[in-house]
């Protein structure tokens, strides 16, 4: 009951203390429907790191393998390894350093003393680490609060929006320069290297994910990794990439033509562009993602490319490239002010090629703000 009371108190605080909205423990507990005294977030080994560990702690730097965050409505504490001690301490988060895994268990045991129920993030916690938490939390109930954490993370706070905008700005500048950076005869990995290089020159920590550069028929595969294929005249050249900036990411796709396009390629491009712009026009706080998806999908399905849009229109974006939230025919989700989502319809024809146009948008009361305003003209390389 006590923790429920704290939740309620903090829910009030969340709405009234406008100067302190971005304190993530408040965000987490404001959307908490499960009754817990604390949330324990534990990282595995890279890449099995819990993005919510970084959401809760706000630490912009460091790897933090095997480290733990204990989040209560009042504070967040980190049990850090010595390898990231400086990053943890300089970020201002309360930090205890463990010297061995036994020491880490003891520290966790001590910090959880007196709690009756703790939340875990089942969607990102490894089973091995679940067992370690269980061992340290003898007699304490472990409850999955991953949905509560997702609900908090879906609504971006002002400090998060600043970082996302920076990541988007970098990708926008790079997208506009692609025809100058890539030429006929370049391989896909050479193209990707150019994009990655420029993103980092512009201040990105790194690429947000494996930069997808797909030439010709490969552009028909939405989740493609670049290879040794060389760009030839008459081929589509699809670039799907994003920048990471202080753990926040952008995600942009632009499709170009090498040399001259043919009528079929132009028609594909125009159909996708029409669908993408109509979807963006349909977005505002209060609309369902399903409805927005239908706007884009019906334009493609009315064209000769019917059935060739083989994924959903968009996904959440934030600390991860596929953050909570979606614009999808499969999800009944109402878009809310403060969400950041991608809008990325595409048309894919096996053996021929694909077109996708992707922007990142911030949902506002009356519409949305396009965070990646790079040109969408059908340009040639
Ligand atoms: Mn995307």
């Amino acid at each position: 009951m006590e923790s429920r009371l704290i939740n309620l108190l903090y829910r009030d605080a969340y709405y009234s203390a406008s100067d302190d909205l971005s304190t993530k423990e408040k965000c987490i507990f404001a959307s908490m429907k499960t009754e817990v005294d604390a949330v324990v977030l534990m990282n595995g080994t890279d890449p099995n790191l819990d993005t919510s560990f970084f959401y809760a702690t706000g630490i912009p730097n460091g790897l933090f393998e095997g480290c733990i965050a204990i989040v209560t409505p009042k504070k967040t504490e980190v049990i850090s390894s010595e390898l990231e001690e400086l990053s943890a301490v300089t970020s201002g988060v309360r930090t205890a350093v463990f010297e061995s895994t036994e020491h880490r268990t003891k520290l966790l045991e001590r910090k959880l003393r007196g709690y009756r129920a703790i939340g875990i993030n089942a969607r990102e916690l490894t089973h091995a680490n679940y067992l370690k938490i269980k061992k340290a939390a003898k007699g304490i109930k472990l409850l999955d609060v991953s949905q509560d954490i997702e609900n908090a993370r879906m609504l971006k706070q002002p400090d998060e929006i600043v970082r996302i905008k920076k990541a988007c700005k970098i990708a926008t500048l790079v997208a506009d320069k692609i025809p100058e950076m890539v030429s006929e005869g370049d391989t896909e990995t050479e193209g990707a290297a150019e994009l990655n290089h420029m993103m980092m020159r512009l201040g990105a920590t790194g690429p947000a994910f494996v930069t997808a550069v797909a030439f010709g028929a490969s552009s028909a595969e939405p989740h493609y990794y670049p290879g040794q294929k060389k760009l030839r005249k008459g081929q589509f050249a699809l670039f799907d990439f994003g920048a990471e900036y202080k753990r926040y990411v952008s995600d942009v796709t632009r499709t170009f033509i090498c040399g001259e396009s043919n009528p079929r390629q132009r028609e594909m491009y125009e159909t996708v562009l029409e669908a993408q712009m109509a979807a963006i026009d349909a977005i505002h706080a209060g609309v369902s993602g399903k409805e927005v998806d239908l706007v884009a999908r019906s334009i493609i399905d009315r064209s000769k490319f019917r059935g060739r849009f083989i994924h959903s229109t968009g996904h959440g974006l934030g600390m991860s490239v596929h953050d909570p939230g979606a614009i999808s025919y499969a999800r009944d989700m109402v878009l809310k002010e403060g969400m950041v989502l991608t809008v990325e319809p595409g048309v894919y024809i096996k053996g021929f090629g694909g077109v996708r146009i992707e922007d990142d948008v911030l949902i506002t009361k009356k519409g949305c703000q396009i965070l990646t305003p790079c040109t969408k003209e059908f340009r040639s390389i």
Side-chain angles (χ1 to χ4, degrees), residues 120-245:
I120 53 156
N121 187 16
R123 283 183 202 166
E124 293 191 86
L125 180 67
T126 66
H127 186 68
N129 281 343
Y130 167 75
L131 295 176
K132 283 175 194 151
I133 295 173
K134 207 172 152 188
K135 197 174 150 201
K138 278 184 207 90
I140 305 173
K141 248 195 290 177
L142 300 192
L143 300 168
D144 178 20
V145 295
S146 43
Q147 188 58 55
D148 304 283
I149 296 173
E150 280 203 3
N151 292 343
R153 281 183 50 186
M154 255 194 285
L155 300 175
K156 268 62 183 183
Q157 299 305 313
D159 62 315
E160 300 186 277
I161 291 170
V162 167
R163 291 179 182 187
I164 293 170
K165 281 186 172 171
K166 173 77 177 174
C168 287
K169 177 92 192 274
I170 293 169
T172 302
L173 291 169
V174 173
D176 278 336
K177 288 266 186 245
I178 288 173
E180 294 161 45
M181 291 158 68
V182 182
S183 348
E184 186 190 345
D186 284 352
T187 65
E188 292 167 337
T189 54
E190 283 167 348
E194 289 299 320
L195 269 62
N196 293 349
H197 176 80
M198 189 171 167
M199 286 195 284
M200 293 190 76
R201 294 292 302 204
L202 291 169
T205 319
F209 50 91
V210 174
T211 296
V213 178
F215 297 154
S218 303
S219 56
E221 196 180 327
H223 284 168
Y224 180 75
Y225 275 19
Q228 292 312 303
K229 198 171 287 173
K230 286 185 174 160
L231 182 59
R232 298 289 176 221
K233 274 215 160 56
Q235 285 184 330
F236 279 131
L238 185 150
F239 298 81
D240 183 349
F241 65 101
E244 183 182 311
Y245 178 74

Side-chain angles (χ1 to χ4, degrees), residues 283-302:
I283 290 174
H284 56 85
V287 74
S288 93
K290 210 172 181 170
E291 216 176 302
V292 176
D293 183 273
L294 192 66
V295 168
R297 199 165 301 280
S298 62
I299 288 171
I300 290 167
D301 284 347
R302 275 201 310 267

Side-chain angles (χ1 to χ4, degrees), residues 23 31 77 149 170 227 236 281 375:
T23 308
S31 64
E77 269 184 287
I149 296 173
I170 293 169
F236 279 131
D281 267 352
T375 184

Side-chain angles (χ1 to χ4, degrees), residues 257-304:
I257 185 75
C258 180
E260 292 286 311
S261 58
N262 63 38
R264 190 189 192 194
Q265 288 167 329
R266 279 196 295 279
E267 201 176 341
M268 269 173 86
Y269 194 90
E270 278 155 22
T271 304
V272 173
L273 183 58
E274 191 193 336
Q276 205 250 6
M277 302 219 294
I280 288 175
D281 267 352
I283 290 174
H284 56 85
V287 74
S288 93
K290 210 172 181 170
E291 216 176 302
V292 176
D293 183 273
L294 192 66
V295 168
R297 199 165 301 280
S298 62
I299 288 171
I300 290 167
D301 284 347
R302 275 201 310 267
S303 76
K304 67 165 68 146

Side-chain angles (χ1 to χ4, degrees), residues 209 240 251-253 315 317 321-322 342 344 356 358 360:
F209 50 91
D240 183 349
D251 186 6
V252 176
T253 306
H315 52 79
L317 190 72
V321 181
H322 293 138
T342 67
E344 51 174 314
R356 181 169 62 259
E358 173 179 31
D360 304 335

Side-chain angles (χ1 to χ4, degrees), residues 64 80-91 93 95-97:
F64 289 92
S80 171
S81 87
E82 267 183 292
L83 306 182
E84 289 88 356
E85 186 179 354
L86 192 63
S87 288
V89 172
T90 50
S91 78
V93 72
T95 306
V97 176

